[in-house]
Amino acid sequence: YGGMGLDFSYNIAVAEELGNIHCGGIPMAIGVQAGMATPALTRFGSHELKKQFLVPTIAGDFVACLGISEAGAGSDVANIKTTAVKKGDEYVINGGKMWITSGSQADWMCLLANTSEGPPHLNKSLICLPMNLPGIHVAKKIDKLGMRSSDTAQIFFEDVRVPCKNLIGEEGKGFTYQMLQFQEERLWGVATALTPMETIIQETIDYTGQRKVFGQPVLHNQTVHFRLAELATEVELLRSLLHRTVALYVEGNDVTKFASMAKLKAGRLTREVTDSCLQFWGGMGFTSEVLVSRFYRDLRLMSIGGGTDETMLSIICKYMDILPRK
């Protein structure tokens, strides 16, 4: 279908390199295209669907988006309300999606919707939804704290009709397919954060080495150079966890626990690195002229998007068998 047929470790190598881009929005958009909107279609979609949607997406002729989150259901995927009701050989879709990256320019959406009245983990399906169909209303681009170069849309569906053949895989398996995809999405996110953190640490070293306060470079204060050494160590530890997790994943193992740990740590460490480094820039750190303030805003999403820190902790607890049962 136009792809190179490489294993997932190559995605991670690309993601780490994309960290050299001096913003979070572009790597995120590429990640949605390459590792979030397309894996379920690649794994479970029919040949016809792959020809129609996957081929032009890989070629770069189509922009894809992922329709999971809703205004009342972000990390709580089981709680989504959008429905796709079968009528004849079509699904009729009603509802809405929120926080949709690339949503205002996408050619198609990988949509998660409720296709039956059954239990919340067994009543959902993934559907390839062309974004030019009647009844799809794309609201304005959301004004955000960070990731400002990324178009993030709210989208409404009003009696949108799509052929039943656009179903990805089996009906009712959408939640399961989506949980598989989340592991790749979270590992991609971790990988894209590593290089920016290294960049910020190095830029802070360079700046504090030149900036003088009370007659000596800021860097010469032990509290500054010790802190930078601690942060660099934490980044390397996160990289090791990521690479171990990816190696296990490529071998076919369930890496949900490790991927959740890496995502949790990345969310917290990006906040720690950008906040600590911004402090050492003094007043300059509070301006829009320096990279540290941009990453301070952009990387704040790491603890929210793709599953919050709190969701990661719940997953880790579940795998440790210490999560209280309802």
Side-chain angles (χ1 to χ4, degrees), residues 65 123 136 158 171 185 211 228 290:
C65 67
N123 73 337
I136 297 178
E158 188 177 351
E171 192 172 274
E185 175 179 341
R211 182 184 170 218
L228 293 170
V290 292

Side-chain angles (χ1 to χ4, degrees), residues 133-188:
L133 296 176
I136 297 178
H137 308 286
V138 180
K140 66 175 183 176
K141 176 180 168 181
I142 297 168
D143 188 14
K144 306 183 301 297
L145 169 71
M147 300 293 194
R148 297 181 66 83
S149 63
S150 170
D151 71 301
T152 309
Q154 183 172 19
I155 300 169
F156 298 101
F157 310 114
E158 188 177 351
D159 292 331
V160 179
R161 292 180 173 271
V162 62
C164 288
K165 63 181 175 59
N166 282 28
L167 176 74
I168 296 173
E170 295 178 44
E171 192 172 274
K173 290 283 187 73
F175 186 87
T176 304
Y177 297 162
Q178 192 50 45
M179 290 303 109
L180 283 171
Q181 177 271 321
F182 269 146
Q183 305 319 313
E184 295 193 2
E185 175 179 341
R186 287 162 185 167
L187 293 170
W188 173 281

